[in-house]
Amino acid sequence: MGQTFLPRFQQMVAELREHPQINVTEVRIASAASREEVEAAKRMAEGRLPEGMEDFYLEMNGFLLEWEHKQEELRRGAEINRGSVEILPIGEVLKGWQGVTWFEFEGGERFKSVKPLDFFAPEACAALVHSESKGFASTVHYHYLGEFLCNTGYSFTQFIDRLLNARGFWYWIETLCPDTQQSPEAQNFLQQMPSLFEDFQPTLFQPGS
């Protein structure tokens, strides 16, 4: 089977580097995970990963991207006109995350099932949800650390489709949740993207079912 993820990420990076209004400040495309790393992750997950995830990591074991708008007035005093993606290596995704997403005190295990996938900000991430009894949820979630967890309604591959079209724009994921789709960050994303990217598809950015 041919590669389906890596070429699309490479193309996104190339287009951002050529964009007259954007500075790409950091990029790292990790080499593919080994079959042994993927099988170890599957054992940690009771044998099953979300659909598309195994193929993704067999092409690239993580991805980092940072970009910013060149126009100074759109950068000054705020971080919202920039992009950030940090898809973690597969072994990192499936670790315990104690002290980050959950804690050992009364009520501290509320988000123990959260496994960060794209840690795009220190305080927030796109995440998988995994429990010992049920395994992985089939959809990607949005998690604001210590506060809330939202099911986007989209599978791993559907999430990647949207991340690529969003180019990792700051807090784009908030468009996928009913409670956050009207946030200033989500609305700024929807306002700015059409002028930056001709292929932007606004209909992709709404809560899934």
Side-chain angles (χ1 to χ4, degrees), residues 97 101-103 107-115 143-149:
W97 292 104
T101 64
W102 68 278
F103 303 87
E109 293 191 359
R110 178 183 173 195
F111 298 120
K112 189 175 181 178
S113 63
V114 173
K115 304 293 184 183
H143 179 50
Y144 198 92
L145 270 61
E147 295 192 19
F148 67 85
L149 181 67

Side-chain angles (χ1 to χ4, degrees), residues 2-185:
Q3 292 180 323
T4 59
F5 291 100
L6 179 59
R8 296 168 68 199
F9 277 81
Q10 291 171 326
Q11 181 181 351
M12 176 182 67
V13 170
E15 290 174 352
L16 286 169
R17 282 178 163 152
E18 293 171 1
H19 198 292
Q21 298 180 61
I22 285 173
N23 277 326
V24 175
T25 56
E26 190 169 4
V27 175
R28 184 169 69 248
I29 302 177
S31 300
S34 66
R35 173 57 67 180
E36 290 74 18
E37 288 175 303
V38 171
E39 291 301 322
K42 290 170 71 174
R43 287 193 296 272
M44 292 171 67
E46 289 79 51
R48 185 183 68 85
L49 298 173
E51 184 179 356
M53 185 174 169
E54 180 174 348
D55 291 336
F56 175 89
Y57 279 103
L58 287 172
E59 293 183 38
M60 46 194 294
N61 193 19
F63 175 78
L64 177 69
L65 170 67
E66 300 282 348
W67 61 262
E68 63 183 16
H69 203 290
K70 287 182 178 180
Q71 197 170 334
E72 186 178 352
E73 55 266 36
L74 289 176
R75 297 201 316 267
R76 191 185 304 126
E79 294 184 313
I80 59 174
N81 290 298
R82 67 185 187 94
S84 177
V85 182
E86 188 178 1
I87 299 177
L88 302 176
I90 193 167
E92 284 285 299
V93 173
L94 295 176
K95 72 179 189 180
W97 292 104
Q98 182 179 352
V100 180
T101 64
W102 68 278
F103 303 87
E104 284 196 349
F105 53 74
E106 187 175 354
E109 293 191 359
R110 178 183 173 195
F111 298 120
K112 189 175 181 178
S113 63
V114 173
K115 304 293 184 183
L117 173 68
D118 173 15
F119 231 135
F120 64 86
E123 70 283 351
C125 61
L128 304 175
V129 171
H130 179 269
S131 65
E132 293 182 4
S133 60
K134 297 180 180 179
F136 276 109
S138 61
T139 50
V140 174
H141 289 60
Y142 167 43
H143 179 50
Y144 198 92
L145 270 61
E147 295 192 19
F148 67 85
L149 181 67
C150 157
N151 184 353
T152 69
Y154 294 105
S155 68
F156 177 86
T157 53
Q158 290 171 326
F159 168 78
I160 294 295
D161 290 342
R162 284 155 178 80
L163 182 149
L164 288 165
N165 193 249
R167 276 76 170 185
F169 196 103
W170 190 240
Y171 273 90
W172 71 271
I173 195 173
E174 292 203 337
T175 63
L176 307 185
C177 297
D179 291 344
T180 57
Q181 66 181 135
Q182 298 299 323
S183 72
E185 290 81 5

